[in-house]
């Protein structure tokens, strides 16, 4: 059995990206891509040089073929993906607008999808248990009662389990009038490393007051990362607290940044880097996603990212990254400029 550094479990879908801004009703054509929080993390980590497996279910259809082939092309092991002849692969359409605005539209066609049929019985739990890190998200919990039972099994405290990483990923429109707050809190409390945005904590749990208030509401995970949007992120690791501001980014499309941040943070964690570097690598991977049109971006080389993460505080705070920055192979000090 191959032991992977990271196993990421969750649904991925074929996503249709608009050819121009506007309402879904007005967009004449769409480009095909892939989208899924956990598979996004897997792809970024694999592209950054880590051994990663994606575990899921897809339909025995062309869209399932595309997902498996596209995700494998990043270097992700897909042997843990099962095909379901009775259920389809999920798809969705979205507009080009920011998810935070009222103009943003997403049309999901995922009800009854193959991934929603994941259970503890049809998932290779032994292979998952051999990983160093198991990455999950709250999206999976919303898909079905079976998926929620699977996540409860995977977040149960037991000796020898992998480090469990859990991204809250609160998506209100997936819960169909169910109350997500208690479920997301339960799963987070069973995890070792939790990612949550300030906005998610307010929406899911009614918690306001910033990172300290969120930590008070969620004291159980040893490691808690509170994402604070363009301001930065705060890391609670045991009894230590670290804040690192975000870099300035010329945004092309505000999608995929949260998944990329998690991948950057996990990559630095696997490498044993200190707290501030883990946050900086998260910010850098998020900047890579923000400067491309789709959810996934080629990450910077490890040396490139390490040079940027090693900048002094003043240089970090004046760093500005735009489209194409991950392809630059220059010294970090040549990329620093005042906004």
């Amino acid at each position: 059995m191959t032991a992977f550094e990271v196993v990421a479990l969750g649904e991925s879908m074929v996503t249709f990206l608009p050819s121009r801004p506007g309402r879904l009703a007005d967009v004449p054509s769409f480009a095909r891509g892939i989208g899924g929080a956990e598979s996004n993390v897997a792809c970024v980590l694999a592209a950054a040089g880590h051994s990663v497996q994606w575990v899921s279910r897809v339909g025995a259809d062309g869209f399932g073929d595309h997902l498996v082939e596209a995700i494998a092309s990043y270097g992700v092991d897909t042997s843990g993906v099962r095909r379901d002849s009775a259920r389809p692969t999920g798809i969705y359409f979205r507009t080009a607008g920011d998810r935070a605005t009222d103009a943003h539209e997403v049309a999901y066609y995922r009800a009854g999808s193959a991934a929603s049929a994941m259970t503890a019985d049809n998932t290779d739990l032994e292979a998952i248990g051999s990983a160093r890190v198991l990455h999950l998200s709250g999206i999976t919990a919303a898909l079905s009662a079976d998926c929620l039972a699977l996540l409860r099994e995977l977040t149960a405290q037991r000796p020898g389990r992998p480090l469990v990483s859990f991204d809250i990923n609160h998506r209100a429109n997936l819960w169909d009038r169910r109350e997500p707050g208690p479920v997301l809190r339960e799963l987070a409390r069973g995890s070792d490393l939790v990612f949550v945005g300030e906005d998610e904590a307010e929406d899911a749990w009614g918690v306001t007051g910033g990172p300290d208030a969120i930590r008070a509401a969620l004291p159980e995970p040893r490691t808690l990362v509170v994402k604070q949007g363009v301001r930065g992120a705060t890391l609670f690791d045991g009894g230590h607290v670290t804040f690192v501001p975000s870099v300035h980014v010329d945004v092309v499309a505000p999608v995929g940044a949260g998944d990329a941040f998690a991948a950057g943070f996990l990559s630095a964690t696997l490498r044993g880097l200190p707290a501030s570097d883990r946050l900086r690598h998260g910010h850098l991977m998020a900047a890579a996603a923000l400067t491309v049109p789709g959810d996934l971006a080629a990450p910077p080389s490890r040396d490139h990212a390490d040079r940027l993460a090693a900048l002094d505080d003043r240089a970090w705070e004046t760093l500005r990254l735009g489209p194409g920055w991950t392809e630059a192979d220059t010294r970090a000090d040549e990329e620093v400029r005042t906004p």
Side-chain angles (χ1 to χ4, degrees):
M1 181 184 301
T2 301
F4 294 93
E5 289 183 279
V6 180
V7 169
L9 178 146
E11 181 172 35
S12 189
M13 295 177 290
V14 174
T15 176
F16 290 92
L17 309 173
S19 57
R20 70 182 191 195
R23 302 183 310 152
L24 286 178
D26 300 327
V27 176
S29 60
F30 297 81
R32 185 181 64 177
I34 61 174
E38 302 85 0
S39 60
N40 285 348
V41 172
C43 290
V44 175
L45 282 168
H50 296 280
S51 62
V52 188
Q53 183 181 50
W54 173 51
V55 173
S56 190
R57 292 175 72 83
V58 299
D61 50 34
F63 287 145
D65 294 341
H66 174 64
L67 279 177
V68 172
E69 292 166 7
I71 292 169
S73 73
Y74 285 85
V76 177
D77 182 278
T78 57
S79 62
V81 179
R82 301 289 178 258
R83 308 303 291 261
D84 190 327
S85 60
R87 297 176 179 85
T89 303
I91 65 172
Y92 75 100
F93 296 77
R94 67 171 172 82
T95 53
D98 188 337
R99 285 193 178 112
T101 70
D102 292 337
H104 181 71
E105 296 175 75
V106 180
Y108 288 110
Y109 299 90
R110 72 194 308 177
S113 69
S116 70
M118 287 189 291
T119 68
D121 292 331
N122 64 25
T123 303
D124 190 345
L125 300 183
E126 185 178 358
I128 290 173
S130 68
R132 286 180 60 187
V133 176
L134 170 62
H135 183 69
L136 308 168
S137 95
I139 292 173
T140 306
L143 299 181
S144 68
D146 283 339
C147 283
L148 175 55
L150 173 60
L151 259 62
R152 284 176 166 150
E153 172 73 16
L154 294 173
T155 56
Q157 297 284 351
R158 57 172 54 90
R161 76 173 193 180
L163 184 149
V164 176
S165 165
F166 182 69
D167 193 331
I168 296 296
N169 258 326
H170 177 236
R171 300 286 186 269
N173 58 350
L174 295 181
W175 287 88
D176 296 328
R177 301 187 184 90
R178 295 169 292 162
E179 177 53 55
V183 172
L184 295 174
R185 193 191 297 265
E186 171 198 346
L187 296 172
R189 284 174 167 168
S191 302
D192 303 299
L193 163 60
V194 173
F195 300 94
V196 60
E198 284 184 312
D199 55 342
E200 293 177 309
E202 181 175 0
D203 291 344
W205 304 318
V207 176
T208 59
D212 289 338
I214 296 171
R215 182 51 158 173
L218 198 63
E220 294 86 356
R222 172 179 172 80
T223 305
L224 174 68
V225 180
V226 179
K227 296 176 290 183
Q228 298 166 259
V230 296
R231 298 188 305 281
T234 297
L235 167 63
F236 296 87
D237 193 15
H240 302 283
V241 182
T242 305
F243 171 79
V244 171
S246 301
V247 293
H248 301 281
V249 180
D250 296 326
V251 176
V252 172
V255 292
D259 302 330
F261 181 96
F265 187 92
L266 287 172
S267 175
T269 299
L270 288 164
R271 296 170 59 200
L273 299 184
S276 60
D277 285 7
R278 282 180 274 161
L279 290 172
R280 284 191 174 192
H281 277 274
H283 289 318
L284 290 169
M285 289 297 193
L290 290 168
T291 50
V292 298
D295 287 25
L296 286 167
S301 70
R302 185 170 291 185
D303 287 346
H304 189 181
D306 283 346
R307 289 197 299 271
L308 293 177
L311 293 172
D312 62 40
D313 289 345
R314 183 182 182 282
W316 176 262
E317 290 170 7
T318 58
L319 180 66
R320 190 177 196 102
L321 301 172
W325 75 270
T326 60
E327 301 170 7
D329 190 21
T330 57
R331 300 294 300 179
D333 58 356
E334 294 174 343
E335 297 172 357
V336 177
R337 59 187 176 90
T338 301

